[in-house]
Amino acid sequence: MNELALGFSVAALAKGVIVTLVVTLASSLVAIALGLIVGLIRISPLWPLRWFGVAYIEFFRGTSMLVQVYWWFFVLPIFGVALSPWTVAIFGIGMNVSGYGAELVRAAIQGVDRGQYEASIALNLPRLTAMRRIFLPQAIRAMLPAWGNLLIDLLKSTSLIFFITITELTTASKLAADATGNYLLFFAVALFGYYVIARALITPLVRWLERRFSRGFVREAQA
């Protein structure tokens, strides 16, 4: 492996890791925000909102993420809507994952003990106040482990943005392997790269949030 090829490989991998981190962070924010909104809409007492939520979830959860990204990138320009590759990557992945996240939100809220709904009605608490102060804190605590899994899946899904011309970790590893001929090394880097990112960033964040939202509910685990 000559120095020129090695330098190119290291630079390509570093850029690929940064791109993967940026897309993961941005699309996670989109997925969390839309997942929460659509999950709340899904349990709205107003049936048009409920059906909108059902349609949103069924569409994004029931169709392929890659095909959705292709639609945003290749089909929308036919109708005069041209989006940049970064916009498609962030919102394409984020909206797809939000379909799964919305169901987690719905299930967690509906999983709160029925007696607490009845108590909030007996106390004449406004619905929004009861949701914000009673139901959501408990639901968030319940849904966090599943959201952690979902965000790890989102991280791994960023490899699909190669198809819309963005060079992320997997593509950078392929370029480095092509340049050096060392496919074992660089695909091992790609293989474990996602694991390291998940273990170093997503898992600690989710566990910190679990401890934070568990205060007052369960005794904190000893470190």
Side-chain angles (χ1 to χ4, degrees):
M1 185 186 306
N2 61 53
E3 291 185 1
L4 181 62
L6 180 60
F8 169 79
S9 303
V10 172
L13 280 176
K15 183 180 177 183
V17 169
I18 293 171
V19 168
T20 296
L21 289 173
V22 170
V23 173
T24 298
L25 175 62
S27 53
S28 293
L29 294 175
V30 171
I32 292 168
L34 290 178
L36 181 61
I37 293 170
V38 176
L40 292 173
I41 286 175
R42 177 71 178 79
I43 57 172
S44 168
L46 304 175
W47 70 264
L49 289 179
R50 277 202 312 277
W51 280 105
F52 173 80
V54 170
Y56 182 98
I57 291 168
E58 290 298 317
F59 175 78
F60 284 105
R61 199 176 58 164
T63 56
S64 161
M65 177 189 290
L66 180 58
V67 177
Q68 290 170 23
V69 169
Y70 278 161
W71 265 80
W72 302 138
F73 193 69
F74 293 111
V75 178
L76 285 186
I78 297 173
F79 301 99
V81 180
L83 302 174
S84 73
W86 280 85
T87 303
V88 172
I90 292 169
F91 283 92
I93 294 175
M95 292 176 76
N96 177 275
V97 174
S98 71
Y100 297 88
E103 276 298 86
L104 296 180
V105 173
R106 177 198 61 76
I109 292 175
Q110 291 181 334
V112 175
D113 183 65
R114 183 72 186 170
Q116 298 190 36
Y117 289 95
E118 295 168 353
S120 68
I121 294 172
L123 292 171
N124 201 26
L125 281 178
R127 182 180 175 84
L128 286 177
T129 302
M131 182 63 72
R132 181 172 57 86
R133 300 188 63 177
I134 299 175
F135 309 135
L136 267 183
Q138 298 179 71
I140 290 173
R141 183 171 62 92
M143 74 176 80
L144 275 174
W147 264 104
N149 291 333
L150 204 53
L151 294 182
I152 290 172
D153 271 346
L154 182 152
L155 163 67
K156 292 183 287 187
S157 298
T158 57
S159 60
L160 295 178
I161 63 176
F162 155 74
F163 293 104
I164 54 171
T165 73
I166 296 179
T167 302
E168 37 62 60
L169 175 57
T170 300
T171 311
S173 300
K174 173 69 165 52
L175 293 175
D178 289 340
T180 61
N182 196 334
Y183 289 90
L184 174 63
L185 171 63
F186 288 105
F187 281 125
V189 170
L191 190 65
F192 291 103
Y194 294 101
Y195 174 79
V196 171
I197 293 172
R199 288 292 296 170
L201 298 178
I202 297 175
T203 301
L205 173 64
V206 171
R207 288 184 177 166
W208 177 77
L209 290 171
E210 285 182 35
R211 288 195 297 273
R212 183 174 179 81
F213 280 93
S214 293
R215 291 174 185 168
F217 291 98
V218 295
R219 187 186 299 277
E220 289 189 43
Q222 296 296 321

